[in-house]
C-alpha cells in the first residue's frame, strides 16, 4: 500500500493512495511549493531525519492503520 501526505499550511491529510506491484522498486517523492524556499537547507533537514546505518527502526508506527478494504493483504 502506498500513502499520500498532502499538506497546505496547517491542514494535513494522510491517506492510502493505492497499491504497487511487489516487484516495483521502493520510491518516494516530495514536492515543496513556495516562495523563497532554500533547497539545500531542505535537503539537509530531510537527510537529518534518515536512519543511520545499523540504527534500529522505531518500535511503533506513528501513523494509524488505514482501511484498505480488499486492496492488499494485511
Amino acid at each position: 500500500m502506498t500513502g499520500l501526505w498532502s499538506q497546505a499550511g496547517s491542514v494535513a491529510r494522510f491517506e492510502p493512495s493505492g497499491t504497487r506491484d511487489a516487484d516495483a522498486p521502493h520510491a518516494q517523492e516530495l514536492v515543496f511549493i513556495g516562495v523563497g524556499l532554500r533547497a539545500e537547507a531542505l535537503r539537509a533537514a530531510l537527510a537529518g531525519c534518515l536512519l543511520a546505518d545499523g540504527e534500529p527502526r522505531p518500535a511503533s508506527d506513528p501513523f494509524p492503520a488505514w482501511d484498505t478494504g480488499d486492496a492488499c493483504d494485511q
Side-chain angles (χ1 to χ4, degrees):
M1 177 59 58
T2 61
L4 171 69
W5 169 2
S6 176
Q7 183 169 348
S10 63
V11 178
R13 263 187 4 208
F14 306 96
E15 60 190 44
S17 64
T19 58
R20 66 173 185 84
D21 183 358
D23 296 328
H26 292 282
Q28 55 190 333
E29 177 182 38
L30 294 174
V31 177
F32 294 90
I33 301 170
V35 177
L37 297 176
R38 297 179 304 143
E40 289 305 316
L42 280 170
R43 282 188 194 96
L46 292 169
C49 296
L50 297 174
L51 293 176
D53 288 341
E55 184 178 354
R57 298 177 89 170
S60 62
D61 186 343
F63 294 97
W66 288 327
D67 178 10
T68 59
D70 295 331
C72 64
D73 295 329
Q74 292 188 355

